[in-house]
Structure formats: C-alpha cells, structure tokens
Amino acid sequence: GRLLFVNAPFNASELISLALLLPVLVVLHKLASVIQAILLFSALAAWFVYQQLAPYHLTHSAHTFDYLSVMRWVTEGTAIDLEFLLSRVFVFTALMWTLKQLGLRMRSAVIAVVISALTIEIVQLWQMGQSSSLTDPVLALVTGVIMQLASNERNKKARLLKR
C-alpha cells in the first residue's frame, strides 16, 4: 500500500519482512480464532508502543505540549504527510478491529485505542527528541467514529435483509 499511495521508495527490508510473515500467517491460520486475535492484537500493540516510544530516553522534566501538530500543515502551508496519516489510520483501525474480534463492542474498542494513544502522548512529554500532541488521539477517535458508523450501517442493512 505504501508504494501505491505514497510513492515511497522500494525498501528491501519490507520485502524480507513480508516473506517472513507468510509462514507465520500459515501457522496463525491453523489456530483458533480467539488465539489468532489475541496474538494479532498483542503483536500490533507491542509494535505500536515500540514505534511510538523508541528510543526510550526519559528526562526529568516535561517539554511543551503541541495541541494539534497537524495544524502546522494548514497554517504553514506545508505538504500533508500522507505516509504519516495513512500509517496511523492503519494501526488504529487494526487495533480496533482486533479488539472487536476479541469480543469488545466497537465503542469500547474505540475508547481503549484512544486512551492508549493519549497515554503514549503523555509519556512522550518526558522523552527526549519526541513531540507530544493530540493528533494521534484525535486521529484514533475520528477513525473509530468512522468505523462505528460503518458498522452501524452494515448492521442496519443486515436487519433489513432479514425481513
């Protein structure tokens, strides 16, 4: 998807990762669906936390909090970073979907992901070289609302078809 939508350069490590992922998917396919969802959610959550909090250098005092860092794209007229937005939307959607597969209601999954994103932003206040803002929690909330609306519409159509 990155190559198609963002015109990102081809990265050999991504191809190697994809090749290594295929045997894992075969094994996951043989497991029960609950175990699949638990493993998938654990891997996604660990990857998201690792990606957000690396390099793990905490300071003693918090730095400034930028409320919506995306507003700089509008106010300064800089280009919108589609790779950043699409990657965040993908991760938030995947986390919400796997929580839904684990049996949570969509609203609970959205709340859990938004709170997790906000918690990570708060921790980033004390990290060197990181910026903290409400961008990720707001993006997670917007993604969740869209997923909730799509889910409601799909359920509505299914009820109409049953009649």
Side-chain angles (χ1 to χ4, degrees):
R2 244 173 43 102
L3 294 173
L4 179 65
F5 290 111
V6 187
N7 293 327
F10 178 74
N11 193 345
S13 65
E14 290 176 358
L15 184 61
I16 293 169
S17 299
L18 182 62
L20 293 174
L21 179 67
L22 292 175
V24 172
L25 290 176
V26 170
V27 172
L28 274 175
H29 182 67
K30 304 247 182 231
L31 298 174
S33 61
V34 173
I35 296 173
Q36 286 176 353
I38 289 170
L39 289 174
L40 186 57
F41 176 75
S42 300
L44 281 169
W47 175 74
F48 179 65
V49 169
Y50 172 79
Q51 180 189 26
Q52 292 294 92
L53 296 181
Y56 308 107
H57 296 295
L58 297 177
T59 62
H60 295 291
S61 60
H63 58 74
T64 59
F65 190 81
D66 186 13
Y67 289 99
L68 282 175
S69 60
V70 207
M71 292 305 292
R72 277 183 278 159
W73 296 338
V74 176
T75 58
E76 295 176 6
T78 57
I80 295 174
D81 189 359
L82 279 178
E83 184 176 0
F84 167 80
L85 288 176
L86 291 175
S87 68
R88 291 290 194 262
V89 167
F90 169 78
V91 170
F92 294 142
T93 303
L95 288 170
M96 289 175 205
W97 180 78
T98 53
L99 285 173
K100 176 106 169 81
Q101 294 299 315
L102 286 171
L104 267 67
R105 299 172 81 201
M106 182 55 81
R107 184 173 292 144
S108 301
V110 170
I111 290 169
V113 171
V114 170
I115 288 173
S116 299
L118 184 61
T119 303
I120 287 173
E121 292 298 326
I122 291 170
V123 170
Q124 284 180 342
L125 280 170
W126 286 274
Q127 281 194 296
M128 292 189 308
Q130 293 282 358
S131 62
S132 298
S133 72
L134 289 177
T135 302
D136 280 358
V138 168
L139 196 56
L141 181 62
V142 169
T143 302
V145 167
I146 291 170
M147 287 180 69
Q148 179 72 38
L149 291 173
S151 175
N152 288 345
E153 188 64 30
R154 191 184 71 201
N155 292 340
K156 189 180 190 182
K157 285 182 182 179
R159 282 189 298 247
L160 288 174
L161 289 175
K162 286 183 181 180
R163 292 182 184 180

